[in-house]
Every structure is written in C-alpha cells, then in structure tokens.
Amino acid sequence: RGENLQTQAANCVPNGMPGIMRLPYPLEFVYSPGRVNILIETYSQVRRIYVDGRALPEDPDPFFNGHSVGRWEGDTLVVDTVGISPMVSILPGLHATPTTRFQERITRVAPDRLVDEITITDPALFAEPYVMVQNYTLQPDWEMREYVCQENNRDGADEQGRPSMDLGDPFAGLDD
C-alpha cells in the first residue's frame, strides 16, 4: 500500500493562505473605500484586506485566509496577515500555528504585471523568514468562472484521508 499524498483539497477544503494566492486560477482585485478585495476563482473565495487604518486583531479566530490589514507604501500594497487556521498547510508538511504571520508586498511592476512577495515568519516552524514570490499577468479578456469543488469532485478522500475515487455518471437519473 502506498502513502496517501492527497491534500485536503481532495475533500474540497480551501488551500488558505498563502496557497490560495499561488494557484493557477484567476484572481480579481477590487478596490473599495477602506478595503481591497481579492476575488479568487478557486473555491469562490473572497480575501478582504482592510486598508482603513485598523490594527491586526490580538486574538483572532482562525480563518483559512486569516485576517489581513494593509497599507500603501507608494505603489506597493503591504499586507500583514495573522490568524491562519491550523488546518492550512502553509508549505507541504507544515501547518499554520498561532504564531504564523505573513507579510506581502504586492507591486505592479509593469502595466500588465503584478508581483506578490510573501514573507512567512513563525518561530515555531522557521529559524528565519521564508520568502516566496508569485507573479501575475493581467488578462483583461478572462472572466471569473463559478468554481464548485464538489460538483466535479472525482478524486475525493474519506474522513481518514484515504482516496475514494467515484467515477459514477454525474448525469445519472436526470432524465427521470
């Protein structure tokens, strides 16, 4: 028997931060007073970054995407995020702890390109900050699509994480 290498995504559990910002599906940045919303096609997620001057919560409830506050430094959106759910795998094999923190620097480096530099700090997991960089290319002709994981989930896992392939006909019984 081989080891089950599926992540919780096989059970339609969202990736959470930082993985949600690194998937190969569209993102849409929507600016409103006091907030930047990132609409994420994957799992139909909305990430809210508050830019209204509030502080990060001191004892946040854990969320998949955490609690994010930001500020503008020139053309760069600097975002601090805390309160990541321990269900989130921040890197393969490493789950968020109460001390996991992200700082992002999201910069438009060209008319059609954004760069998101994500620095992860967590003294329980890392001896020094871990940095990852994600590049985004503007695709003005793309449309966000509905993403319902369960609708086409054929590679699920049971509650113990074991693969449970279901290749049944999704249209069976619809002619009745």
Side-chain angles (χ1 to χ4, degrees):
R1 283 172 97 44
E3 178 185 356
N4 179 18
L5 299 176
Q6 296 184 102
T7 66
Q8 283 296 321
N11 290 325
C12 297
V13 175
N15 294 72
M17 273 296 292
I20 200 75
M21 298 295 290
R22 300 178 54 82
L23 295 174
Y25 295 94
L27 304 175
E28 183 176 332
F29 288 75
V30 179
Y31 301 89
S32 61
R35 191 171 65 217
V36 175
N37 297 301
I38 303 175
L39 310 179
I40 305 164
E41 184 176 275
T42 311
Y43 304 102
S44 299
Q45 293 281 293
V46 177
R47 184 170 170 223
R48 293 167 183 85
I49 301 169
Y50 294 94
V51 292
D52 58 3
R54 72 179 67 186
L56 285 167
E58 290 187 29
D59 185 23
D61 290 331
F63 292 156
F64 283 95
N65 295 325
H67 299 264
S68 298
V69 298
R71 67 187 180 282
W72 291 99
E73 291 182 2
D75 293 336
T76 298
L77 177 60
V78 179
V79 183
D80 290 300
T81 302
V82 297
I84 305 296
S85 169
M87 291 179 65
V88 171
S89 177
I90 57 174
L91 291 170
L94 294 177
H95 288 267
T97 75
T99 56
T100 300
R101 183 182 187 115
F102 305 114
Q103 184 175 81
E104 293 172 272
R105 297 184 64 80
I106 303 172
T107 307
R108 191 171 199 164
V109 295
D112 66 342
R113 216 168 109 229
L114 284 179
V115 173
D116 185 1
E117 181 182 280
I118 305 170
T119 301
I120 306 170
T121 56
D122 188 334
L125 300 174
F126 301 106
E128 59 187 46
Y130 181 86
V131 179
M132 56 179 67
V133 176
Q134 182 67 37
N135 291 286
Y136 304 108
T137 302
L138 178 64
Q139 301 289 345
D141 296 333
W142 284 12
E143 292 183 13
M144 297 288 277
R145 300 186 54 129
E146 183 179 69
Y147 185 109
V148 179
C149 183
Q150 276 302 105
E151 183 177 44
N152 294 307
N153 188 14
R154 299 283 183 258
D155 193 20
D158 67 14
E159 50 280 343
Q160 282 80 42
R162 297 178 300 223
S164 61
M165 295 290 280
D166 175 8
L167 300 176
D169 181 358
F171 300 105
L174 293 180
D175 294 336
D176 299 343

